[in-house]
Amino acid sequence: MRAAMATAEVDDDVLGADPTAVRLESEVATIMGKEAGLFVPSGTMGNLISVLVHCDIRGSEVILGDNSHIHIYENGGISTIGGVHPRPVKNNDDGTMDINSIEAAIRDPRGEIVYPTTRLICLENSHANTGGRCLSAEYTDKVGELAKKHSLKLHIDGARIFNASVALGVPVNRLVQAADSVSVCLSKGLGAPVGSVIVGSKSFISKARILRKTLGGGMRQLGFICAAAFVALKENVAKLEGDHKKAKMLAEGLNQIKGLRVNVAAVESNIIFFDILEGSKLTAEKLYNNLEEHGVLVMPEGPYRMRIVLHHQISSSDVHYTLSCFQQAFNGVHEENGNQV
């Protein structure tokens, strides 16, 4: 990636003249089956721009999952910057929202004197907070049909859309066929240093380009960043299946450790959530500190809940080493309690 960055052809992307950026945007749009693309610095900006293009009148409302990344982890930007009102619907354990619940959340236009106006539905695939669960093309189609029925738009937060494609064995363009826009992250599973590409119609991208500049996302010689993303796109998609297999291996191993609980069946891609059981005398914070001392980085999600995400630079031997570190951490606790393991 660094070699590609050093030799990248560049120009002024704010003026649309950077050839490497143009090629990347076109490539991602083609892969996704959309007309055009736009590189943005982050997935958060990509989602924000997409929501603001679709909800271009202040006081618009977007229907989205109550456990979605846009709703929880993006600083409330759609509201604070865009004046867009979120209408959360319960996310199921598989990352979906019930179709009937989505439809029930759509505002009756006859009540516009008191209600916000529903203009957009957002999905997330794969769904991070449910452990990387993958939304099927059939489900997404149903949401798309519902959106069209009510003259709404559909946006997909595709932060890990390639993971979902590989896990489901479905081409990525098929997964997003029903969507009007998609934010495609290149820096998560694919491993680029930075950036996402949002895709949609040519008119959508024209409006998105203006908003990117408004939000401070217009960059000049962007090609050197896009060159690294090209490498990620060309070389690392094929490595995602290995990430998923190693995640399943790690989940199965963790579930065998006394004091931990993992829903192994829910591990569909590269994300694992696990719970520390009561009586183990370990908290997420203590376990985090213990693992960090051994070079294993995980993320606490609560007092007794943690998250692990794998990527292609994590080898099978790294998985076995990680399991040994977990086992040692819990063995130490058991020995302190007077119980030899």
Side-chain angles (χ1 to χ4, degrees):
M1 284 186 184
R2 291 182 180 180
M5 294 170 74
T7 58
E9 186 180 2
V10 299
D11 206 321
D12 191 332
D13 185 62
V14 171
L15 302 179
D18 190 297
T20 308
V22 170
R23 286 197 300 270
L24 177 68
E25 291 164 347
S26 177
E27 177 78 5
V28 176
T30 299
I31 291 171
M32 294 292 153
K34 305 302 180 186
E35 289 182 352
L38 181 70
F39 187 93
V40 292
S42 69
T44 294
M45 183 181 284
N47 287 329
L48 176 59
I49 289 173
S50 298
V51 171
L52 297 191
V53 170
H54 294 308
C55 300
D56 56 352
I57 300 174
R58 292 182 69 84
S60 298
E61 188 167 74
V62 54
I63 296 171
L64 73 178
D66 68 338
N67 206 15
S68 66
H69 196 279
I70 294 176
H71 188 50
I72 297 175
Y73 298 118
E74 298 185 8
N75 304 104
I78 62 172
S79 299
T80 57
I81 296 174
V84 178
H85 188 260
R87 174 88 150 157
V89 171
K90 183 181 183 300
N91 276 121
N92 299 315
D93 290 341
D94 62 358
T96 64
M97 299 176 281
D98 290 337
I99 300 293
N100 290 340
S101 298
I102 296 174
E103 186 159 31
I106 298 171
R107 303 289 187 176
D108 187 337
R110 293 171 296 182
E112 64 181 359
I113 192 68
V114 291
Y115 296 142
T117 301
T118 309
R119 287 194 166 85
L120 177 66
I121 302 171
C122 290
L123 299 177
E124 181 181 335
N125 200 10
S126 66
H127 195 277
N129 263 9
T130 57
R133 303 296 293 270
C134 304
L135 277 56
S136 69
E138 292 75 18
Y139 171 78
T140 305
D141 287 348
K142 290 179 181 178
V143 178
E145 290 166 6
L146 178 64
K148 287 183 178 179
K149 174 183 173 183
H150 293 274
S151 300
L152 308 178
K153 299 296 184 180
L154 173 62
H155 171 70
I156 295 179
D157 174 2
R160 296 177 178 86
I161 193 67
F162 286 102
N163 289 90
S165 171
V166 169
L168 295 170
V170 176
V172 70
N173 64 322
R174 177 65 188 88
L175 283 184
V176 302
Q177 183 175 303
D180 296 284
S181 61
V182 188
S183 177
V184 183
C185 186
L186 301 170
S187 66
K188 290 190 172 66
L190 299 189
V194 63
S196 294
V197 173
I198 51 177
V199 297
S201 67
K202 290 180 180 177
S203 62
F204 169 86
I205 293 298
S206 293
K207 295 174 183 176
R209 185 176 294 276
I210 296 169
L211 278 169
R212 184 185 69 173
K213 186 67 169 68
T214 303
L215 294 171
M219 293 174 282
R220 298 294 180 180
Q221 290 155 5
L222 181 57
F224 75 94
I225 297 176
C226 293
F230 257 123
V231 175
L233 203 58
K234 296 298 184 182
E235 297 184 7
N236 292 347
V237 174
K239 300 174 184 177
L240 295 178
E241 184 177 4
D243 297 346
H244 299 174
K245 288 179 179 178
K246 283 175 279 192
K248 183 70 81 169
M249 181 197 313
L250 180 57
E252 290 170 347
L254 290 172
N255 203 40
Q256 297 300 313
I257 296 175
K258 185 178 180 180
L260 292 180
R261 181 178 59 220
V262 184
N263 181 359
V264 177
V267 179
E268 297 179 351
S269 54
N270 67 326
I271 301 175
I272 304 167
F273 280 94
F274 64 89
D275 296 297
I276 303 170
L277 301 180
E278 290 184 20
S280 69
K281 304 299 182 182
L282 266 180
T283 63
E285 182 180 3
K286 289 179 180 178
L287 182 56
Y288 170 85
N289 291 333
N290 183 295
L291 294 170
E292 186 181 32
E293 290 177 0
H294 294 86
V296 177
L297 301 180
V298 298
M299 181 179 290
E301 291 284 334
Y304 298 98
R305 187 167 174 80
M306 305 189 82
R307 186 182 88 156
I308 301 177
V309 179
L310 278 77
H311 54 82
H312 71 88
Q313 291 168 311
I314 302 296
S315 65
S316 295
S317 61
D318 291 331
V319 171
H320 292 300
Y321 171 74
T322 298
L323 287 171
S324 72
C325 291
F326 271 92
Q327 188 67 69
Q328 289 172 17
F330 279 87
N331 283 352
V333 170
H334 293 156
E335 290 169 3
E336 287 175 12
N337 294 339
N339 301 317
Q340 298 297 320
V341 179

Tab-separated table of all heavy atoms in Angstrom, residues 165-213:
chain	number	residue	atom	x	y	z
A	165	SER	N	-21.052	-9.837	2.111
A	165	SER	CA	-21.073	-10.510	0.816
A	165	SER	C	-20.362	-11.857	0.881
A	165	SER	O	-20.886	-12.880	0.414
A	165	SER	CB	-20.419	-9.608	-0.241
A	165	SER	OG	-20.244	-10.296	-1.462
A	166	VAL	N	-19.186	-11.861	1.476
A	166	VAL	CA	-18.411	-13.097	1.576
A	166	VAL	C	-19.103	-14.102	2.491
A	166	VAL	O	-19.206	-15.295	2.169
A	166	VAL	CB	-16.983	-12.786	2.082
A	166	VAL	CG1	-16.243	-14.065	2.447
A	166	VAL	CG2	-16.209	-12.005	1.026
A	167	ALA	N	-19.612	-13.645	3.625
A	167	ALA	CA	-20.264	-14.545	4.581
A	167	ALA	C	-21.516	-15.188	3.994
A	167	ALA	O	-21.792	-16.372	4.240
A	167	ALA	CB	-20.606	-13.781	5.856
A	168	LEU	N	-22.270	-14.415	3.222
A	168	LEU	CA	-23.520	-14.916	2.639
A	168	LEU	C	-23.305	-15.640	1.313
A	168	LEU	O	-24.200	-16.340	0.837
A	168	LEU	CB	-24.500	-13.759	2.433
A	168	LEU	CG	-25.012	-13.065	3.697
A	168	LEU	CD1	-25.764	-11.790	3.331
A	168	LEU	CD2	-25.913	-13.998	4.506
A	169	GLY	N	-22.137	-15.428	0.698
A	169	GLY	CA	-21.901	-16.011	-0.613
A	169	GLY	C	-22.746	-15.360	-1.696
A	169	GLY	O	-23.151	-16.009	-2.666
A	170	VAL	N	-22.984	-14.069	-1.538
A	170	VAL	CA	-23.832	-13.314	-2.462
A	170	VAL	C	-23.028	-12.134	-2.998
A	170	VAL	O	-22.387	-11.424	-2.217
A	170	VAL	CB	-25.109	-12.797	-1.746
A	170	VAL	CG1	-25.948	-11.935	-2.682
A	170	VAL	CG2	-25.925	-13.968	-1.221
A	171	PRO	N	-23.043	-11.889	-4.317
A	171	PRO	CA	-22.299	-10.744	-4.854
A	171	PRO	C	-22.711	-9.444	-4.175
A	171	PRO	O	-23.889	-9.225	-3.875
A	171	PRO	CB	-22.683	-10.742	-6.341
A	171	PRO	CG	-23.058	-12.165	-6.638
A	171	PRO	CD	-23.705	-12.676	-5.374
A	172	VAL	N	-21.734	-8.582	-3.954
A	172	VAL	CA	-21.996	-7.375	-3.175
A	172	VAL	C	-23.008	-6.467	-3.875
A	172	VAL	O	-23.836	-5.822	-3.207
A	172	VAL	CB	-20.669	-6.649	-2.870
A	172	VAL	CG1	-20.060	-6.037	-4.118
A	172	VAL	CG2	-20.843	-5.605	-1.787
A	173	ASN	N	-22.978	-6.418	-5.202
A	173	ASN	CA	-23.949	-5.569	-5.902
A	173	ASN	C	-25.373	-6.071	-5.715
A	173	ASN	O	-26.322	-5.289	-5.699
A	173	ASN	CB	-23.601	-5.444	-7.387
A	173	ASN	CG	-23.678	-6.769	-8.114
A	173	ASN	OD1	-23.303	-7.802	-7.581
A	173	ASN	ND2	-24.156	-6.739	-9.345
A	174	ARG	N	-25.530	-7.388	-5.536
A	174	ARG	CA	-26.864	-7.942	-5.290
A	174	ARG	C	-27.356	-7.546	-3.899
A	174	ARG	O	-28.554	-7.273	-3.711
A	174	ARG	CB	-26.814	-9.464	-5.425
A	174	ARG	CG	-28.146	-10.157	-5.127
A	174	ARG	CD	-29.219	-9.792	-6.138
A	174	ARG	NE	-30.528	-10.312	-5.740
A	174	ARG	CZ	-31.387	-9.678	-4.968
A	174	ARG	NH1	-31.085	-8.454	-4.498
A	174	ARG	NH2	-32.550	-10.217	-4.665
A	175	LEU	N	-26.456	-7.499	-2.932
A	175	LEU	CA	-26.858	-7.142	-1.569
A	175	LEU	C	-27.384	-5.720	-1.480
A	175	LEU	O	-28.208	-5.421	-0.616
A	175	LEU	CB	-25.678	-7.302	-0.606
A	175	LEU	CG	-25.292	-8.710	-0.165
A	175	LEU	CD1	-24.168	-8.649	0.857
A	175	LEU	CD2	-26.492	-9.455	0.409
A	176	VAL	N	-26.900	-4.825	-2.339
A	176	VAL	CA	-27.288	-3.409	-2.256
A	176	VAL	C	-28.163	-2.987	-3.435
A	176	VAL	O	-28.376	-1.797	-3.649
A	176	VAL	CB	-26.041	-2.506	-2.167
A	176	VAL	CG1	-25.198	-2.881	-0.954
A	176	VAL	CG2	-25.200	-2.585	-3.434
A	177	GLN	N	-28.670	-3.938	-4.156
A	177	GLN	CA	-29.449	-3.637	-5.362
A	177	GLN	C	-30.630	-2.722	-5.074
A	177	GLN	O	-30.963	-1.837	-5.877
A	177	GLN	CB	-29.942	-4.951	-5.971
A	177	GLN	CG	-30.714	-4.819	-7.264
A	177	GLN	CD	-31.058	-6.188	-7.840
A	177	GLN	OE1	-30.170	-7.006	-8.086
A	177	GLN	NE2	-32.335	-6.457	-8.035
A	178	ALA	N	-31.273	-2.918	-3.927
A	178	ALA	CA	-32.476	-2.150	-3.597
A	178	ALA	C	-32.173	-0.771	-3.029
A	178	ALA	O	-33.088	0.035	-2.841
A	178	ALA	CB	-33.331	-2.934	-2.596
A	179	ALA	N	-30.897	-0.483	-2.764
A	179	ALA	CA	-30.540	0.761	-2.078
A	179	ALA	C	-30.380	1.916	-3.052
A	179	ALA	O	-29.898	1.751	-4.170
A	179	ALA	CB	-29.256	0.568	-1.294
A	180	ASP	N	-30.751	3.096	-2.593
A	180	ASP	CA	-30.523	4.328	-3.356
A	180	ASP	C	-29.124	4.864	-3.134
A	180	ASP	O	-28.588	5.581	-3.989
A	180	ASP	CB	-31.554	5.382	-2.956
A	180	ASP	CG	-32.970	4.953	-3.310
A	180	ASP	OD1	-33.323	5.012	-4.497
A	180	ASP	OD2	-33.701	4.544	-2.390
A	181	SER	N	-28.529	4.526	-1.992
A	181	SER	CA	-27.158	4.945	-1.691
A	181	SER	C	-26.539	3.949	-0.739
A	181	SER	O	-27.234	3.265	0.025
A	181	SER	CB	-27.122	6.351	-1.092
A	181	SER	OG	-27.857	6.402	0.123
A	182	VAL	N	-25.199	3.857	-0.803
A	182	VAL	CA	-24.455	2.963	0.076
A	182	VAL	C	-23.168	3.665	0.483
A	182	VAL	O	-22.504	4.296	-0.347
A	182	VAL	CB	-24.086	1.630	-0.622
A	182	VAL	CG1	-23.482	0.653	0.390
A	182	VAL	CG2	-25.284	1.014	-1.328
A	183	SER	N	-22.822	3.560	1.761
A	183	SER	CA	-21.517	4.000	2.240
A	183	SER	C	-20.642	2.768	2.387
A	183	SER	O	-20.967	1.857	3.151
A	183	SER	CB	-21.659	4.723	3.588
A	183	SER	OG	-20.393	5.089	4.092
A	184	VAL	N	-19.542	2.733	1.640
A	184	VAL	CA	-18.681	1.549	1.576
A	184	VAL	C	-17.349	1.869	2.248
A	184	VAL	O	-16.560	2.663	1.723
A	184	VAL	CB	-18.432	1.124	0.110
A	184	VAL	CG1	-17.591	-0.146	0.064
A	184	VAL	CG2	-19.752	0.947	-0.639
A	185	CYS	N	-17.088	1.275	3.409
A	185	CYS	CA	-15.845	1.551	4.122
A	185	CYS	C	-14.711	0.708	3.551
A	185	CYS	O	-14.870	-0.491	3.315
A	185	CYS	CB	-16.017	1.265	5.607
A	185	CYS	SG	-14.571	1.736	6.573
A	186	LEU	N	-13.573	1.346	3.345
A	186	LEU	CA	-12.394	0.659	2.822
A	186	LEU	C	-11.333	0.426	3.890
A	186	LEU	O	-10.318	-0.211	3.618
A	186	LEU	CB	-11.799	1.481	1.674
A	186	LEU	CG	-12.766	1.727	0.497
A	186	LEU	CD1	-12.174	2.735	-0.468
A	186	LEU	CD2	-13.099	0.426	-0.211
A	187	SER	N	-11.564	0.943	5.094
A	187	SER	CA	-10.525	0.908	6.127
A	187	SER	C	-10.828	-0.060	7.255
A	187	SER	O	-10.078	-0.113	8.223
A	187	SER	CB	-10.314	2.310	6.710
A	187	SER	OG	-11.463	2.732	7.418
A	188	LYS	N	-11.894	-0.835	7.157
A	188	LYS	CA	-12.181	-1.825	8.204
A	188	LYS	C	-11.661	-3.184	7.743
A	188	LYS	O	-10.464	-3.419	7.720
A	188	LYS	CB	-13.665	-1.817	8.540
A	188	LYS	CG	-14.095	-0.552	9.283
A	188	LYS	CD	-15.496	-0.654	9.814
A	188	LYS	CE	-15.851	0.526	10.709
A	188	LYS	NZ	-15.903	1.809	9.992
A	189	GLY	N	-12.535	-4.077	7.336
A	189	GLY	CA	-12.089	-5.397	6.930
A	189	GLY	C	-11.098	-5.379	5.786
A	189	GLY	O	-10.229	-6.250	5.687
A	190	LEU	N	-11.195	-4.391	4.902
A	190	LEU	CA	-10.312	-4.347	3.740
A	190	LEU	C	-8.939	-3.780	4.062
A	190	LEU	O	-7.994	-3.967	3.301
A	190	LEU	CB	-10.954	-3.552	2.608
A	190	LEU	CG	-12.274	-4.104	2.061
A	190	LEU	CD1	-12.689	-3.353	0.813
A	190	LEU	CD2	-12.173	-5.593	1.776
A	191	GLY	N	-8.807	-3.036	5.158
A	191	GLY	CA	-7.495	-2.671	5.659
A	191	GLY	C	-6.820	-1.481	5.028
A	191	GLY	O	-5.608	-1.300	5.199
A	192	ALA	N	-7.535	-0.622	4.300
A	192	ALA	CA	-6.927	0.617	3.811
A	192	ALA	C	-6.664	1.548	4.996
A	192	ALA	O	-7.315	1.429	6.041
A	192	ALA	CB	-7.838	1.299	2.794
A	193	PRO	N	-5.724	2.481	4.859
A	193	PRO	CA	-5.428	3.374	5.996
A	193	PRO	C	-6.599	4.254	6.402
A	193	PRO	O	-6.764	4.559	7.582
A	193	PRO	CB	-4.264	4.236	5.476
A	193	PRO	CG	-3.687	3.478	4.341
A	193	PRO	CD	-4.811	2.715	3.728
A	194	VAL	N	-7.399	4.681	5.437
A	194	VAL	CA	-8.460	5.645	5.737
A	194	VAL	C	-9.451	5.670	4.586
A	194	VAL	O	-9.110	5.379	3.441
A	194	VAL	CB	-7.859	7.067	5.947
A	194	VAL	CG1	-7.202	7.571	4.683
A	194	VAL	CG2	-8.907	8.059	6.434
A	195	GLY	N	-10.707	5.989	4.907
A	195	GLY	CA	-11.635	6.371	3.857
A	195	GLY	C	-12.775	5.425	3.540
A	195	GLY	O	-12.723	4.230	3.814
A	196	SER	N	-13.809	6.005	2.965
A	196	SER	CA	-14.976	5.297	2.452
A	196	SER	C	-15.344	5.891	1.102
A	196	SER	O	-14.929	7.008	0.772
A	196	SER	CB	-16.165	5.436	3.412
A	196	SER	OG	-15.930	4.781	4.640
A	197	VAL	N	-16.135	5.158	0.348
A	197	VAL	CA	-16.716	5.676	-0.887
A	197	VAL	C	-18.225	5.542	-0.785
A	197	VAL	O	-18.736	4.464	-0.455
A	197	VAL	CB	-16.200	4.920	-2.131
A	197	VAL	CG1	-16.947	5.373	-3.383
A	197	VAL	CG2	-14.701	5.136	-2.314
A	198	ILE	N	-18.950	6.641	-1.008
A	198	ILE	CA	-20.400	6.552	-1.079
A	198	ILE	C	-20.792	6.445	-2.539
A	198	ILE	O	-20.178	7.057	-3.415
A	198	ILE	CB	-21.103	7.750	-0.393
A	198	ILE	CG1	-20.559	9.095	-0.880
A	198	ILE	CG2	-20.971	7.643	1.108
A	198	ILE	CD1	-21.283	10.293	-0.266
A	199	VAL	N	-21.805	5.628	-2.806
A	199	VAL	CA	-22.238	5.387	-4.183
A	199	VAL	C	-23.736	5.597	-4.301
A	199	VAL	O	-24.487	5.455	-3.334
A	199	VAL	CB	-21.865	3.969	-4.656
A	199	VAL	CG1	-20.358	3.783	-4.675
A	199	VAL	CG2	-22.517	2.899	-3.770
A	200	GLY	N	-24.162	5.937	-5.510
A	200	GLY	CA	-25.568	6.164	-5.794
A	200	GLY	C	-25.725	6.658	-7.217
A	200	GLY	O	-24.846	6.445	-8.064
A	201	SER	N	-26.808	7.335	-7.485
A	201	SER	CA	-27.037	7.889	-8.814
A	201	SER	C	-26.115	9.080	-9.061
A	201	SER	O	-25.526	9.638	-8.124
A	201	SER	CB	-28.491	8.337	-8.952
A	201	SER	OG	-28.747	9.440	-8.090
A	202	LYS	N	-25.985	9.477	-10.313
A	202	LYS	CA	-25.153	10.635	-10.633
A	202	LYS	C	-25.664	11.897	-9.960
A	202	LYS	O	-24.880	12.708	-9.458
A	202	LYS	CB	-25.097	10.829	-12.150
A	202	LYS	CG	-24.300	9.750	-12.875
A	202	LYS	CD	-24.282	9.999	-14.376
A	202	LYS	CE	-23.485	8.908	-15.107
A	202	LYS	NZ	-23.511	9.104	-16.582
A	203	SER	N	-26.964	12.062	-9.919
A	203	SER	CA	-27.520	13.261	-9.276
A	203	SER	C	-27.281	13.234	-7.772
A	203	SER	O	-26.988	14.280	-7.155
A	203	SER	CB	-29.020	13.382	-9.578
A	203	SER	OG	-29.732	12.273	-9.049
A	204	PHE	N	-27.375	12.057	-7.176
A	204	PHE	CA	-27.095	11.917	-5.743
A	204	PHE	C	-25.647	12.312	-5.445
A	204	PHE	O	-25.370	13.077	-4.505
A	204	PHE	CB	-27.358	10.478	-5.292
A	204	PHE	CG	-26.855	10.155	-3.908
A	204	PHE	CD1	-27.631	10.418	-2.795
A	204	PHE	CD2	-25.593	9.595	-3.713
A	204	PHE	CE1	-27.172	10.133	-1.513
A	204	PHE	CE2	-25.123	9.308	-2.442
A	204	PHE	CZ	-25.914	9.581	-1.342
A	205	ILE	N	-24.712	11.809	-6.249
A	205	ILE	CA	-23.296	12.087	-6.016
A	205	ILE	C	-22.967	13.557	-6.272
A	205	ILE	O	-22.119	14.148	-5.586
A	205	ILE	CB	-22.412	11.155	-6.863
A	205	ILE	CG1	-22.565	9.703	-6.372
A	205	ILE	CG2	-20.951	11.583	-6.826
A	205	ILE	CD1	-22.130	9.469	-4.936
A	206	SER	N	-23.621	14.181	-7.223
A	206	SER	CA	-23.394	15.611	-7.465
A	206	SER	C	-23.744	16.435	-6.234
A	206	SER	O	-23.000	17.347	-5.836
A	206	SER	CB	-24.232	16.087	-8.658
A	206	SER	OG	-23.775	15.500	-9.859
A	207	LYS	N	-24.861	16.109	-5.600
A	207	LYS	CA	-25.250	16.798	-4.372
A	207	LYS	C	-24.307	16.436	-3.222
A	207	LYS	O	-23.952	17.291	-2.394
A	207	LYS	CB	-26.685	16.433	-4.003
A	207	LYS	CG	-27.721	16.904	-5.013
A	207	LYS	CD	-29.110	16.374	-4.667
A	207	LYS	CE	-30.136	16.775	-5.722
A	207	LYS	NZ	-31.474	16.190	-5.435
A	208	ALA	N	-23.888	15.167	-3.185
A	208	ALA	CA	-23.000	14.703	-2.125
A	208	ALA	C	-21.646	15.412	-2.194
A	208	ALA	O	-21.056	15.744	-1.160
A	208	ALA	CB	-22.805	13.193	-2.231
A	209	ARG	N	-21.163	15.684	-3.405
A	209	ARG	CA	-19.871	16.345	-3.562
A	209	ARG	C	-19.898	17.744	-2.946
A	209	ARG	O	-18.936	18.177	-2.305
A	209	ARG	CB	-19.500	16.422	-5.054
A	209	ARG	CG	-18.105	16.991	-5.309
A	209	ARG	CD	-17.765	16.939	-6.788
A	209	ARG	NE	-17.641	15.572	-7.265
A	209	ARG	CZ	-16.537	14.829	-7.167
A	209	ARG	NH1	-15.456	15.333	-6.586
A	209	ARG	NH2	-16.511	13.606	-7.633
A	210	ILE	N	-21.001	18.446	-3.108
A	210	ILE	CA	-21.128	19.783	-2.529
A	210	ILE	C	-21.144	19.699	-0.999
A	210	ILE	O	-20.467	20.473	-0.312
A	210	ILE	CB	-22.401	20.475	-3.048
A	210	ILE	CG1	-22.303	20.693	-4.555
A	210	ILE	CG2	-22.637	21.798	-2.327
A	210	ILE	CD1	-23.601	21.124	-5.202
A	211	LEU	N	-21.894	18.726	-0.468
A	211	LEU	CA	-21.952	18.568	0.984
A	211	LEU	C	-20.608	18.148	1.567
A	211	LEU	O	-20.243	18.564	2.675
A	211	LEU	CB	-23.022	17.537	1.355
A	211	LEU	CG	-24.455	18.065	1.400
A	211	LEU	CD1	-25.446	16.916	1.497
A	211	LEU	CD2	-24.631	19.004	2.591
A	212	ARG	N	-19.868	17.324	0.836
A	212	ARG	CA	-18.540	16.949	1.309
A	212	ARG	C	-17.675	18.190	1.515
A	212	ARG	O	-16.961	18.319	2.520
A	212	ARG	CB	-17.870	15.992	0.326
A	212	ARG	CG	-16.520	15.472	0.806
A	212	ARG	CD	-15.808	14.618	-0.230
A	212	ARG	NE	-15.359	15.398	-1.380
A	212	ARG	CZ	-14.588	14.909	-2.354
A	212	ARG	NH1	-14.182	13.642	-2.317
A	212	ARG	NH2	-14.232	15.678	-3.365
A	213	LYS	N	-17.728	19.107	0.564
A	213	LYS	CA	-16.961	20.351	0.684
A	213	LYS	C	-17.459	21.179	1.874
A	213	LYS	O	-16.672	21.736	2.643
A	213	LYS	CB	-17.083	21.160	-0.607
A	213	LYS	CG	-16.214	22.415	-0.650
A	213	LYS	CD	-14.737	22.066	-0.696
A	213	LYS	CE	-13.866	23.279	-1.007
A	213	LYS	NZ	-13.860	24.261	0.068
